[in-house]
Amino acid sequence: MRQRQKGFTLIELLVVLAITGVIITPLTWATITLLTSPQRTAAHSIVLQQVQNAGHWISRDVQMARSVNATGTNGFPLVLTIPVDDNPDNDYSVEYIFDGDSLKREEYDSAHTLVAEMLIAQYIVSDNTTFSSLPSGSYRLSIRAAKGVAAVTINYEVKPRLSSG
């Protein structure tokens, strides 16, 4: 009589490895997703905030503008004349310009002296950010920001409160 040896057969080991693989693979993907998701979410929140900030400032200034001058093929630099009173000689101007992937707002007094400069937004994709006039007398502003894999584009339609001239 033979004594029975203790241990596992090759088939038993292969079955255990297959079952382990079926369990470990989804757990690995879930772990990777959990670790990278907050980074993607944070980047998305950052670019969304940048687009909203740019939209707020440009919309605000266009609504107050006496005149709107969109230069360049994409409408930037954007030059707005803002009235102080009924005398156009007292108007100040605001210019929106790109500095790399940053959007800046420069404010000039009636003598066209720079009085203030402000960083409005970062991570702006200048090639995909446009400002144009619409037949209705309003303007379309399309702003795109991107950071890593996160990207946000928002379109605004802005109507000036004053008539553009």
Side-chain angles (χ1 to χ4, degrees):
M1 293 201 144
R2 288 189 197 177
Q3 288 186 331
R4 191 154 171 102
Q5 291 184 350
K6 295 182 180 181
F8 298 107
T9 66
L10 181 59
I11 293 175
E12 290 172 331
L13 287 175
L14 290 175
V15 168
V16 168
L17 284 174
I19 292 171
T20 303
V22 167
I23 293 171
I24 295 292
T25 301
L27 288 176
T28 302
W29 283 108
T31 303
I32 290 170
T33 301
L34 286 173
L35 293 176
T36 60
S37 182
Q39 295 167 345
R40 280 195 305 259
T41 302
H44 186 268
S45 294
I46 289 169
V47 294
L48 176 61
Q49 182 181 24
Q50 298 300 306
V51 169
Q52 289 174 334
N53 199 43
H56 164 78
W57 279 96
I58 294 173
S59 297
R60 172 187 168 269
D61 286 341
V62 167
Q63 288 177 349
M64 294 188 319
R66 184 185 307 267
S67 67
V68 177
N69 185 11
T71 60
T73 55
N74 65 346
F76 289 90
L78 175 62
V79 180
L80 309 168
T81 304
I82 312 290
V84 173
D85 53 28
D86 291 335
N87 184 355
D89 292 336
N90 295 332
D91 291 354
Y92 69 95
S93 62
V94 172
E95 188 170 333
Y96 287 92
I97 59 170
F98 288 110
D99 183 11
D101 69 348
S102 297
L103 180 63
K104 291 185 177 180
R105 179 184 187 269
E106 295 178 344
E107 190 173 317
Y108 296 88
D109 64 13
S110 58
H112 203 67
T113 303
L114 181 64
V115 293
E117 182 178 40
M118 181 182 345
L119 176 64
I120 297 298
Q122 294 179 304
Y123 311 113
I124 302 296
V125 182
S126 59
D127 293 340
N128 293 38
T129 299
T130 59
F131 184 88
S132 58
S133 60
L134 297 172
S136 64
S138 55
Y139 298 93
R140 171 162 289 130
L141 172 63
S142 178
I143 304 170
R144 181 170 181 81
K147 181 180 183 202
V149 296
V152 172
T153 302
I154 298 180
N155 295 310
Y156 297 87
E157 187 171 332
V158 185
K159 183 159 183 76
R161 293 184 187 143
L162 303 172
S163 60
S164 292

